[in-house]
């Protein structure tokens, strides 16, 4: 048989390599930013169009390249950063594989302009799909500009695989953050579709963090410093009371390179033990410097993972350093709250342990009763949701016990001509609901017993009411006495901006919503003021983690998220009136039997079921 093995042509090999290096626009951003830093730049500018799908350009003022180097830089395995295999064990630069430019040029239209400091004129190169289309001399400032256009133009499968612009931009911004946080001594700016998203002037680590995440971050940071023979640690951890539900603010940098390490993350968490509210995560910006020879950064193609020579020691030192800082900080007297949340206990925290010792929680305080009790609140609803008791059990009788699989198709009619489940309307004053375990509401009905999950039922009620105010554009909001200003990062604010019009329809009134500033003068009636921040935080989290391309609308997502955060919790004691109102509201819903997330809101036990039990 004839020989069948062939050497792959270069452009094919490059395309294959590109798959490793370039997964999405953000990977290009990372590689080009790193090249700019390795070239000792002091000012780096990132320009992006259409979340990088159309254009990614990086302009630096670094050392530039000669004409020959410019040509060579696009060949595979060409690098100026290592020469021998030994160099691999002592890496001080970001790049060293010599494959980024070659890979990028294989799958995009690339233009390069570069000039060495002492040269008069520079080099211009245009490359498409690994082919050099033109090379010219050009007048250009010292440094390098790389434009990457039409990414994946020749790999349609990959192009189609890209997510929405929102998602891709988010990834780009993440990379931009990681690189710019690691190099506060370099000036970075970023533009997207012509508008400036970030302008980070040369500063120190603390200022860089604040410039990125907003002015109010400053007061949340606790410095961490430690120096031993094996490691130097500097940076900050977030004060425990500002810990968020999202894991957004967690950064390790090892020798100025962003890395992920679940092991070191564990060390940080263990230092925070006992200080965090349940379900929240400490934020941290920790810069570790170790001997380059003691780490192996070669184990991962995109180089965010790293292997340490002596992990156990690092773990112990890191943990101790953070514990020490947290300990020192806790002497500081004032908690810098915008308003004193200690005096109020939002119901979602009611049953949680207060973890910061100086916070005194009034255990008897029950804001639900004062603030969100549907029965007391009902006066502020523009539309009363229910038509009274009659509507309560309409539709139940004929359906009886519904098998699970049918539930999704069941449409409950709210039409009044349906038979009431009550024997007799006049008995209604005698009908009572009961709460079991502060979790279920139980009710005798004509056909037997109705058992409602209060948390789920309330989710359904809130979901439909939010969806309704969004779709019929009829918002109801409670005016705040004083504007409420909240702390969010620039990115989070950008997410909120995208949702602004729908949020306004749910009752939020924004007096400020730009950069890192959020100020509200009105909120939905079902929200209590101390909870607003959590509710919006949860919403941002939900938006960020939404299944891409899911066919649900943004309005639906908002309604679901708000309903989830605001629904009364299991464990919440309800008065009889509150129970009744909830039951009433539930059965006034279009789809009372399931939650927005498709779980059952109630079950029924028929007389037969009960009879069987007693047999
Ligand atoms: P690596 O960074 O792993 O060396 P790259 O493909 O990213 O590989 O770059 C190849 C070479 O091109 C680099 O080693 C460097 O010499 C040169 N180079 C790339 N980008 C720049 C830049 N912005 N300024 C100066 N030189 C650069
Ligand atoms: Mg590189």
């Amino acid at each position: 048989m004839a020989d069948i093995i062939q050497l792959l042509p270069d452009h094919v090999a490059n395309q294959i390599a590109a798959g490793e290096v370039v997964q999405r626009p953000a990977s290009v951003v990372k590689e080009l930013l790193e090249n700019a830093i390795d070239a000792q730049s002091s000012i780096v500018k990132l320009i992006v169009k259409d979340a990088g799908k159309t254009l990614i350009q990086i302009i630096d003022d670094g050392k530039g390249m000669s004409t020959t180097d410019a040509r060579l830089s696009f060949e595979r395995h060409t690098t100026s950063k290592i020469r021998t295999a030994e160099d691999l064990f002592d890496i001080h630069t970001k790049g060293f594989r010599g494959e980024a430019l070659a890979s990028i040029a294989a799958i995009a239209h690339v233009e390069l302009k570069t000039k060495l400091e002492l040269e008069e004129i520079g080099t211009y190169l245009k490359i498409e799909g690994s082919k050099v289309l033109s090379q010219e001399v050009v007048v250009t400032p010292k440094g390098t500009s790389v434009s990457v256009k039409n990414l994946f133009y020749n790999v349609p499968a990959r192009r189609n695989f890209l997510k929405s612009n929102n998602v891709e931009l988010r990834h780009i911004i993440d990379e931009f953050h990681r690189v710019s946080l690691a190099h506060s001594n370099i000036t970075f700016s970023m533009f997207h579709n012509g508008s400036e998203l970030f302008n980070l002037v040369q500063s120190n680590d603390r200022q860089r963090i604040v410039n990125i995440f907003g002015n109010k971050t400053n007061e949340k940071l606790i410095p961490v410093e430690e120096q031993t023979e094996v490691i130097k640690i500097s940076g900050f951890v977030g004060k425990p009371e500002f810990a968020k539900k999202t894991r957004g603010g967690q950064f390790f940098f090892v020798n100025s390179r962003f890395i992920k390490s679940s092991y070191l993350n564990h060390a940080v968490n263990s230092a925070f033990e006992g200080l965090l509210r349940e379900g929240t995560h400490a934020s941290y910006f920790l810069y570790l410097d170790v001997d380059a020879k003691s780490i192996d950064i070669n184990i991962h193609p995109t180089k965010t993972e790293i292997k340490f020579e002596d992990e156990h020691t690092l773990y112990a030192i890191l943990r101790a350093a953070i514990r020490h800082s947290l300990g020192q900080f806790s002497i500081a007297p004032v908690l810098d709250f915008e308003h004193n949340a200690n005096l109020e206990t939002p119901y979602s925290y009611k049953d949680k342990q207060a973890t910061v010792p100086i916070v005194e929680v009034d255990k008897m305080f029950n804001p639900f009763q004062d603030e969100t009790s549907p029965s007391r609140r009902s006066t502020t609803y523009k539309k009363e949701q229910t038509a009274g008791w009659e509507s309560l059990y309409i539709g139940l009788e004929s359906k009886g016990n519904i098998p699970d699989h049918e539930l999704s198709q069941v449409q409950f009619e709210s039409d009044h001509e349906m038979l009431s489940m009550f024997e007799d309307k006049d008995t209604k004053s005698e009908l009572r609901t009961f709460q079991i375990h502060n979790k279920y509401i139980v009710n005798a009905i004509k056909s037997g017993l109705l058992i409602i999950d209060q948390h789920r039922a309330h989710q359904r009620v809130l979901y439909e009411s939010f969806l309704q105010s969004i779709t019929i554009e009829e918002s109801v909001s409670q005016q705040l006495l004083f504007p409420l200003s909240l702390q969010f990062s620039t990115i989070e604010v950008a997410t909120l901006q995208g949702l602004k019009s729908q949020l306004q329809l749910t009752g939020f009134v924004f007096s400020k919503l730009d950069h890192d500033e959020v100020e509200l003068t009105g909120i939905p009636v079902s929200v209590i003021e101390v909870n607003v921040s959590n509710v919006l935080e949860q919403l941002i989290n939900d938006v960020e983690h939404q299944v891409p391309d899911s066919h649900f609308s943004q309005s639906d997502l908002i309604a679901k998220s708000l309903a989830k955060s605001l629904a009364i919790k299991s464990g919440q004691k309800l008065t009889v009136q509150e129970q009744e109102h909830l039951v009433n509201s539930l059965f006034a819903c279009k789809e009372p039997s399931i939650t927005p997330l498709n779980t059952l809101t109630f079950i029924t036990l028929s007389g037969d079921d009960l009879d069987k039990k007693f047999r």
Side-chain angles (χ1 to χ4, degrees):
M1 202 174 132
D3 299 336
I4 49 171
I5 296 178
Q6 302 184 5
L7 192 62
L8 285 177
D10 261 0
H11 69 276
V12 179
N14 283 339
Q15 268 198 27
I16 294 170
E20 284 270 299
V21 181
V22 185
Q23 276 118 29
R24 52 174 17 130
S27 337
V28 174
V29 168
K30 174 178 192 272
E31 293 295 338
L32 297 184
L33 284 175
E34 290 187 346
N35 280 348
I37 290 162
D38 283 344
Q40 282 130 35
S41 309
S42 50
I43 301 175
V44 180
K45 185 168 166 182
L46 165 64
I47 299 167
V48 175
K49 290 213 174 99
D50 302 324
K53 293 172 184 172
T54 318
L55 171 75
I56 297 163
Q57 182 177 16
I58 297 213
I59 305 166
D60 69 48
D61 65 347
K63 62 182 183 206
M65 284 178 268
S66 69
T67 307
T68 317
D69 280 355
R71 276 297 285 260
L72 269 177
S73 68
F74 287 97
E75 299 290 327
R76 214 139 62 90
H77 304 309
T78 51
T79 178
S80 55
K81 298 167 194 174
I82 57 169
R83 283 173 201 284
T84 66
E86 279 84 69
D87 291 346
L88 267 179
F89 299 101
D90 192 9
I91 285 175
H92 295 272
T93 53
K94 310 269 161 207
F96 55 86
R97 291 159 176 271
E99 50 185 15
L101 287 184
S103 297
I104 294 166
I107 45 153
H109 298 167
V110 176
E111 285 173 58
L112 171 90
K113 282 188 212 167
T114 187
K115 187 179 88 69
L116 296 167
E117 181 161 23
L118 298 175
E119 299 284 336
E120 285 290 308
I121 45 172
T123 307
Y124 168 86
L125 276 180
K126 185 171 177 177
I127 303 179
E128 285 181 10
S130 301
K131 276 207 241 8
V132 179
L133 297 189
S134 77
Q135 175 179 339
E136 288 161 26
V137 290
V138 69
V139 178
T140 182
K142 169 207 170 199
T144 304
S145 154
V146 184
S147 305
V148 177
K149 295 178 183 162
N150 309 320
L151 188 64
F152 297 132
Y153 78 99
N154 53 357
V155 202
R158 286 210 157 244
R159 200 171 167 88
N160 295 338
F161 191 68
L162 292 178
K163 300 277 162 48
S164 68
N165 281 7
N166 260 347
V167 173
E168 294 301 339
L169 181 63
R170 175 80 229 187
H171 284 287
I172 290 176
I173 291 173
D174 281 346
E175 290 299 347
F176 180 80
H177 281 173
R178 291 167 179 180
V179 174
S180 55
L181 282 169
H183 298 276
S184 55
N185 58 335
I186 298 176
T187 294
F188 289 93
S189 57
M190 172 174 175
F191 295 79
H192 182 239
N193 291 341
S195 59
E196 186 182 82
L197 291 190
F198 294 96
N199 183 3
L200 312 170
V201 292
Q202 178 195 16
S203 58
N204 58 30
D205 292 340
R206 185 170 194 132
Q207 280 165 354
R208 177 59 47 96
I209 295 167
V210 170
N211 285 343
I212 291 179
F213 295 102
N215 276 334
K216 287 166 184 154
T217 319
N218 197 21
E219 72 208 34
K220 303 179 189 172
L221 300 176
I222 304 172
V224 178
E225 296 288 343
E226 182 63 82
Q227 174 129 34
T228 72
E229 270 177 20
V230 286
I231 189 171
K232 176 176 173 290
I233 301 172
S234 67
F236 306 88
V237 292
K239 291 183 186 172
E241 67 268 29
F242 292 112
K244 294 196 166 192
K245 286 193 184 139
T246 52
R247 288 179 186 273
Q250 303 187 324
F251 297 88
F252 283 120
F253 302 95
V254 174
N255 296 356
S256 300
R257 184 194 292 272
F258 170 82
I259 60 132
K260 290 181 183 151
S261 166
S262 48
Y263 187 67
L264 294 183
N265 180 58
H266 194 276
V268 178
N269 285 342
S270 77
F272 270 91
E273 210 173 284
L275 293 173
L276 295 173
R277 274 182 282 131
E278 205 188 308
T280 60
H281 305 281
S283 63
Y284 52 81
F285 306 85
L286 292 165
Y287 301 81
L288 317 183
D289 281 302
V290 295
D291 183 348
K293 294 194 184 71
S294 76
I295 51 174
D296 181 0
I297 42 186
N298 214 358
I299 60 169
H300 197 275
T302 49
K303 296 169 284 177
T304 53
E305 273 160 32
I306 220 170
K307 219 171 134 48
F308 295 97
E309 214 170 62
D310 189 358
E311 278 195 328
H312 295 296
T313 313
L314 293 194
Y315 184 103
I317 297 172
L318 184 60
R319 188 185 126 99
I322 295 173
R323 264 251 172 262
H324 178 72
S325 295
L326 287 170
Q328 281 201 323
F329 155 75
S330 67
I331 307 163
V334 234
L335 284 181
D336 203 347
F337 278 117
E338 283 285 308
H339 38 186
N340 196 345
N342 304 341
L343 301 177
E344 307 163 276
T345 313
Y347 60 65
S348 57
Y349 296 152
K350 193 183 136 276
D351 296 320
K352 293 187 180 161
Q353 289 290 314
T355 45
V356 183
I358 36 177
V359 176
E360 275 189 26
V361 178
D362 175 4
K363 293 240 161 45
M364 298 308 289
F365 183 73
N366 180 354
F368 180 71
Q369 273 169 356
D370 294 325
E371 298 276 346
T372 53
S373 147
S375 52
R376 292 184 202 196
R377 269 299 156 94
S378 57
T379 46
T380 46
Y381 285 130
K382 243 189 202 168
K383 279 195 182 157
E384 206 26 63
Q385 293 231 343
T386 61
W389 275 103
E390 291 77 8
S391 62
L392 182 48
Y393 300 124
I394 286 166
L396 269 180
E397 180 172 58
S398 50
K399 312 286 186 203
N401 242 347
I402 309 153
D404 284 7
H405 63 274
E406 276 178 24
L407 269 170
S408 51
Q409 290 117 43
V410 174
Q411 287 284 334
F412 282 92
E413 298 290 324
S414 300
D415 293 340
H416 294 272
E417 65 270 14
M418 298 286 288
L419 267 181
S420 164
M421 295 192 90
F422 300 112
E423 306 283 353
D424 174 355
K425 274 187 181 177
D426 299 336
T427 58
K428 76 181 182 187
S429 55
E430 285 162 34
L431 278 160
R432 292 289 300 260
T433 57
F434 297 90
Q435 206 184 9
I436 314 184
H437 292 158
N438 292 337
K439 187 173 181 196
Y440 300 109
I441 299 171
V442 181
N443 225 172
I445 51 172
K446 203 162 85 181
S447 65
L449 211 56
L450 174 72
I451 305 170
I452 295 172
D453 181 312
Q454 64 188 43
H455 174 64
R456 292 183 179 187
H458 199 208
Q459 271 192 38
R460 164 54 62 182
V461 172
L462 290 172
Y463 169 70
E464 288 199 9
S465 98
F466 281 125
L467 209 54
Q468 185 175 9
S469 26
I470 296 174
T471 45
I472 65 173
E473 312 208 335
E474 175 192 85
S475 63
V476 190
S477 94
Q478 46 175 333
Q479 285 296 118
L480 297 174
L481 220 46
F482 302 103
L484 173 64
S485 80
L486 299 171
Q487 313 186 344
F488 286 104
S489 69
T490 322
I491 303 310
E492 292 169 327
V493 170
T495 305
L496 289 177
Q497 273 166 342
L499 307 171
K500 187 177 173 190
S501 55
Q502 286 118 321
L503 280 175
Q504 280 171 331
L505 289 169
T506 66
F508 286 99
V509 183
F510 293 95
S511 46
K512 272 189 207 149
L513 186 63
D514 60 323
H515 210 63
D516 59 345
E517 270 191 311
V518 178
E519 194 184 85
L520 291 155
T521 53
I523 56 178
V525 286
S526 43
V527 182
I528 52 172
E529 199 173 330
V530 288
N531 251 351
V532 174
S533 181
N534 284 336
V535 168
L536 291 178
E537 198 183 293
Q538 182 66 51
L539 176 65
I540 291 165
N541 195 22
D542 288 345
V543 171
E544 280 170 4
H545 294 99
Q546 70 180 302
V547 187
D549 312 321
S550 68
H551 55 280
F552 290 111
S553 66
Q554 219 149 43
S555 314
D556 190 71
L557 185 82
I558 292 175
K560 277 192 183 126
S561 174
L562 296 183
K564 194 173 64 185
S565 325
L566 294 169
I568 51 168
K569 304 285 183 279
S570 295
Q572 173 76 55
K573 191 163 174 48
L574 301 178
T575 65
V576 174
Q577 288 82 11
E578 285 164 351
Q579 295 168 28
E580 286 173 352
H581 187 90
L582 180 58
V583 177
N584 245 341
S585 312
L586 176 66
F587 288 102
C589 286
K590 286 210 180 78
E591 187 102 45
S593 57
I594 47 170
T595 65
L597 298 172
N598 264 330
T599 52
L600 291 179
T601 53
F602 65 83
I603 54 164
T604 55
L605 283 178
S606 67
D608 279 354
D609 294 334
L610 292 173
D611 290 345
K612 274 185 208 140
K613 298 262 174 212
F614 287 103
R615 235 173 247 157

